Amino acid sequence: MLIASALLSLPLLALFAVLAGRREVTHSIVYAGCFVASVALFGGGLTYLGGHSASPSWILPLGLPWLKAHFSIDNLSALFLLMINLGAAAASVFAIGYSQHLPQRRRVTPFFPLFLLAMNLVLMADDAFVFLVSWEFMSLSSWLMVVSDHTDEENRKAGNVYLIMAAFGTFCLLPAFGLMAGPGGDFTFAAMRIKDLGLMGGFMVALLTILGAGSKAGLVPLHAWLPLAHPAAPSHVSALMSGVMTKVALYGMIRVLLDLHGQLSWHWGAGLMMVGGITAVMGVLYAVLQDDLKKLLAYSTVENIGIAVIGLGLAIAFKGDGQVELAALALVASLYHMVNHSVFKTLLFLGAGAVISATGHRSLTVLGGLLKRMPWTGTAFLVGAAAISALPPLNGFVSEWLILQSLFKGPGMPHWAMKFGVPVVAAFLALAAALAATCFVRAYGITFLGRPRSADAAEAEDVSFGMRWSMAGLAVLCVVLGVIPVTVTDALSHVVRPLTGVGFAVSADLGWPWLSPVSATRGAYSGTILMMFGLSLFAIAIFVVHRLGTQALRRADPWDCGHPEDIPQTQYTSQSFAQPLRRAFGHTIFQAREKVVMPEPGDMAPATHKVSMIDPVWSGLYLPLVRGIDWIADHVNRLQYLTVRGYLLMMFLTLVFMLLVVAVRQQL
């Protein structure tokens, strides 16, 4: 009843936002209601995670005439309910203050609760019809918020690209579920689990699912919409799209590949692992060169989705080879990273929203010095940046460490593709981790440290109470999820057991709080002990400095880098910080070119430095595809202007073709 009440409240909140949207208090009431509903749904997921209560199921007289609507919650959907609604609760609290700065908030508030409703229904769907309808509703509600500020040309372009990619994803998922339903048309998940798909059917289901769910998650080269749509949406919506909606896409991939299909060979895992490695490296290379703070975070999402998919691919490969214990390890690592990413990416996007609301800018070039003016936001963003950079004892380190532990066991498989492919993917993961740290040192340093680079940054003030505490709560979770990894992996073990057939050996022979997934002697980690040791050293340092050190104060001017004048432009900029990486990687991959224009002697015009880059995926894949579609459309358009004789000839040729098809089939 709690879950049903929470779900029913969301469309009512949307209706209330439409009817009373002109009143200021309406938006706060709607977001507060979304917070309450998210907390209730979070509690529902927590109740059913780990089998503490019997998995509920509902059958409602809705949907197709011959098929009722089926809903259910198992361990997998319960885990993702926790991810979705934790981020939704934080974003709802943040939106109470943030929505006051939106120019078109009446175009956002009604669709926010509908977006939450659609994501939760995807997770609870127990048949293909409910799943696909909820999936489409999720895409449409988020698209409407992306184009809320439709007067901006960039937002309109982002909305168009997002809508096309969303349609492509559903176009792939629809036949995938149709193949699993078979000629009998039984669209329930229970019937799909026991159906034998055959070689070709299984191949098509796996391929279509990876394409459909991968486009929504942001796998390269299907990521083109993500760095456009996420920055265009309001920041609390961006936080959900990047930190939460991409996990719904990965849920769909796991549900089909490891649950409904369940017959994949190791080849699919090897391929998916390689795609994840390429996605991770390409995503962080894109991110480290961005000047737009939200676009940087969007590309970082591509990287982290790639890391999670590496673990998912490993799990499929190990399971297909019969090594179910290692499959459980890899799947736990992948799920752990999804949980972590949902927390720290939501935090970072909310932090970016706080910066935008305080300064009016999201370009790193005009920011700087915000830590003194926005200490709450700066501290929370620092925790998120450290977590996404995989620094211990925060949560990002644990999941990436577990994925590396899984990769170390990959070459033991008796397949040359894995023996050679796994070290390559491990190198990709290490490179992505190093570049991610560089990316967020750059993002945090340019945004929050140094001197303000604009008057708006110099006059910024920290955000409201609710916005600060929503970020603070997520920052605390980044620490907690890293300090108690054994507790988290023990809960995840309940999720992977139905999918792999075995649980996850959390602590091997060492016991709590040691995380030793492979063996007691080959790789162990304890975030709890590391945190206690770090706090002890910090306390000792404080004691020594304050008790044994001098109490005298000495004042001196700080190092001015050779520029004693107060000119913010003498600081490092985002472009200068990224220049070495741009020259090392971008010259070939992104065709990065620098152009310096120096005025003639005596000319008072300033010198200019311009950097131009291309997106290789966009220019190499999507632009030729668009040109091809335009060419086909131009030629097909001529059919509108044929004469009557031309149309009669087309009908005759079509009839002849169909007769030939029938004749060939009879011969076969």
Side-chain angles (χ1 to χ4, degrees):
M1 290 302 297
L2 181 66
I3 293 174
S5 301
L7 291 174
L8 289 174
S9 69
L10 292 173
L12 294 178
L13 288 170
L15 180 62
F16 175 69
V18 172
L19 297 177
R22 295 183 180 275
R23 304 183 65 179
E24 293 287 331
V25 71
T26 297
H27 303 275
S28 298
I29 293 174
V30 170
Y31 287 120
C34 289
F35 168 75
V36 174
S38 299
V39 171
L41 290 167
F42 180 89
L46 196 62
T47 300
Y48 297 112
L49 181 62
H52 300 301
S53 299
S55 297
S57 60
W58 304 271
I59 301 177
L60 303 179
L62 304 171
L64 297 175
W66 66 90
L67 176 69
K68 297 179 180 179
H70 296 74
F71 300 90
S72 179
I73 299 177
D74 59 5
N75 279 316
L76 181 62
S77 53
L79 172 65
F80 279 86
L81 280 174
L82 298 183
M83 290 191 218
I84 300 316
N85 292 290
L86 177 63
S92 299
V93 174
F94 185 87
I96 295 175
Y98 179 77
S99 63
Q100 299 174 6
H101 304 277
L102 294 178
Q104 301 285 350
R105 60 177 176 172
R106 289 186 63 192
R107 297 178 180 270
V108 177
T109 305
F111 303 111
F112 187 84
L114 296 179
F115 185 40
L116 301 186
L117 173 68
M119 289 191 292
N120 281 282
L121 289 180
V122 170
L123 302 181
M124 291 188 284
D126 201 31
D127 64 64
F129 179 79
V130 174
F131 184 96
L132 289 173
V133 170
S134 303
W135 184 279
E136 275 294 272
F137 202 62
M138 174 181 71
S139 300
L140 289 174
S141 56
S142 56
W143 171 74
L144 288 167
M145 291 186 286
V146 168
V147 297
S148 58
D149 188 8
H150 61 284
T151 58
D152 191 321
E153 183 180 355
E154 290 295 321
N155 289 4
R156 293 198 300 271
K157 176 185 176 182
N160 290 337
V161 174
Y162 177 39
L163 195 61
I164 292 170
M165 294 303 295
F168 169 78
T170 306
F171 178 80
C172 293
L173 290 175
L174 185 60
F177 280 110
L179 288 170
M180 288 189 290
D186 193 341
F187 288 94
T188 61
F189 287 172
M192 292 179 181
R193 290 186 181 98
I194 61 176
K195 182 175 178 56
D196 184 11
L197 297 173
L199 183 61
M200 183 55 66
F203 174 85
M204 291 304 300
V205 167
L207 178 62
L208 290 170
T209 300
I210 292 173
L211 291 175
S215 65
K216 181 69 71 178
L219 287 179
V220 172
L222 304 173
H223 69 288
W225 66 273
L226 197 146
L228 298 175
H230 289 200
S235 293
H236 64 296
V237 178
S238 302
L240 291 185
M241 293 179 67
S242 191
V244 169
M245 188 181 71
T246 53
K247 308 310 171 299
V248 177
L250 292 178
Y251 164 82
M253 194 179 296
I254 295 172
R255 177 64 74 188
V256 174
L257 298 182
L258 286 173
D259 183 22
L260 303 182
H261 190 310
Q263 304 169 8
L264 294 177
S265 69
W266 66 269
H267 302 83
W268 283 104
L272 197 58
M273 175 189 68
M274 188 60 68
V275 170
I278 295 172
T279 298
V281 172
M282 290 297 293
V284 74
L285 280 176
Y286 282 121
V288 79
L289 302 178
Q290 299 302 313
D291 180 65
D292 187 315
L293 180 58
K294 290 183 71 174
K295 188 169 287 190
L296 179 152
L297 295 176
Y299 275 122
S300 171
T301 295
V302 175
E303 176 227 350
N304 282 275
I305 291 298
I307 293 174
V309 169
I310 290 174
L312 178 57
L314 275 172
I316 294 173
F318 284 134
K319 183 181 179 182
D321 195 54
Q323 303 185 45
V324 290
E325 293 85 1
L326 293 177
L329 166 61
L331 187 55
V332 163
S334 179
L335 292 172
Y336 204 155
H337 196 73
M338 295 177 201
V339 173
N340 292 338
H341 183 252
S342 68
V343 175
F344 56 62
K345 185 52 62 70
T346 302
L347 166 60
L348 290 170
F349 262 107
L350 295 184
V355 170
I356 294 169
S357 65
T359 65
H361 300 284
R362 64 190 198 196
S363 173
L364 300 179
T365 304
V366 296
L367 299 175
L370 293 180
L371 183 59
K372 290 183 178 179
R373 294 159 183 81
M374 305 176 68
W376 279 74
T377 301
T379 303
F381 198 96
L382 177 62
V383 174
I388 202 172
S389 301
L391 297 181
L394 300 176
N395 56 345
F397 173 81
V398 186
S399 52
E400 292 194 27
W401 180 80
L402 283 172
I403 292 175
L404 279 173
Q405 294 296 314
S406 305
L407 284 168
F408 292 155
K409 304 299 292 184
M413 293 180 64
H415 309 289
W416 286 107
M418 294 296 291
K419 290 181 182 294
F420 285 102
V422 167
V424 172
V425 174
F428 283 163
L429 180 58
L431 177 61
L435 290 174
T438 304
C439 175
F440 282 93
V441 166
R442 168 178 174 264
Y444 187 83
I446 300 298
T447 303
F448 290 96
L449 304 182
R451 290 174 289 179
R453 295 175 177 83
S454 66
D456 292 327
E459 298 171 0
E461 296 181 357
D462 218 335
V463 291
S464 62
F465 178 83
M467 298 168 71
R468 293 199 306 263
W469 277 102
S470 63
M471 292 185 288
L474 292 173
V476 170
L477 273 177
C478 288
V479 178
V480 171
L481 290 173
V483 171
I484 56 169
V486 175
T487 304
V488 178
T489 52
D490 184 54
L492 295 177
S493 180
H494 298 289
V495 179
V496 305
R497 184 175 287 109
L499 301 175
T500 62
V502 296
F504 171 61
V506 177
S507 300
D509 299 326
L510 295 178
W512 194 91
W514 290 98
L515 188 64
S516 52
V518 178
S519 71
T521 58
R522 295 184 57 187
Y525 171 76
S526 175
T528 309
I529 293 179
L530 182 62
M531 186 69 172
M532 293 172 60
F533 184 72
L535 291 176
S536 300
L537 288 179
F538 183 74
I540 292 172
I542 293 294
F543 176 81
V544 170
V545 168
H546 286 274
R547 293 288 183 176
L548 304 180
T550 177
Q551 300 296 319
L553 296 178
R554 184 171 63 91
R555 299 183 180 275
D557 294 332
W559 181 47
D560 54 23
C561 306
H563 292 278
E565 66 277 4
D566 187 15
I567 302 178
Q569 286 73 18
T570 59
Q571 303 175 98
Y572 260 72
T573 65
S574 62
Q575 295 296 337
S576 60
F577 197 103
Q579 187 184 61
L581 290 172
R582 186 171 64 243
R583 290 180 173 177
F585 297 101
H587 187 79
T588 302
I589 300 175
F590 304 106
Q591 297 184 21
R593 300 293 184 268
E594 299 181 27
K595 183 178 180 181
V596 178
V597 178
M598 295 295 296
E600 296 292 332
D603 189 349
M604 300 303 293
T608 60
H609 174 260
K610 296 182 179 179
V611 178
S612 62
M613 293 184 296
I614 67 167
D615 185 336
V617 173
W618 187 264
S619 59
L621 176 62
Y622 292 106
L623 285 183
L625 184 63
V626 170
R627 295 191 190 102
I629 293 173
D630 288 341
W631 183 87
I632 294 172
D634 290 339
H635 285 74
V636 172
N637 190 47
R638 297 176 184 176
L639 298 178
Q640 299 183 64
Y641 306 104
L642 295 179
T643 63
V644 174
R645 288 175 295 177
Y647 288 121
L648 291 173
L649 179 61
M650 286 178 57
M651 294 169 63
F652 176 74
L653 293 176
T654 303
L655 179 61
V656 171
F657 175 76
M658 296 302 297
L659 290 173
L660 289 174
V661 170
V662 172
V664 170
R665 289 193 62 184
Q666 288 179 347
Q667 291 295 326
L668 295 176

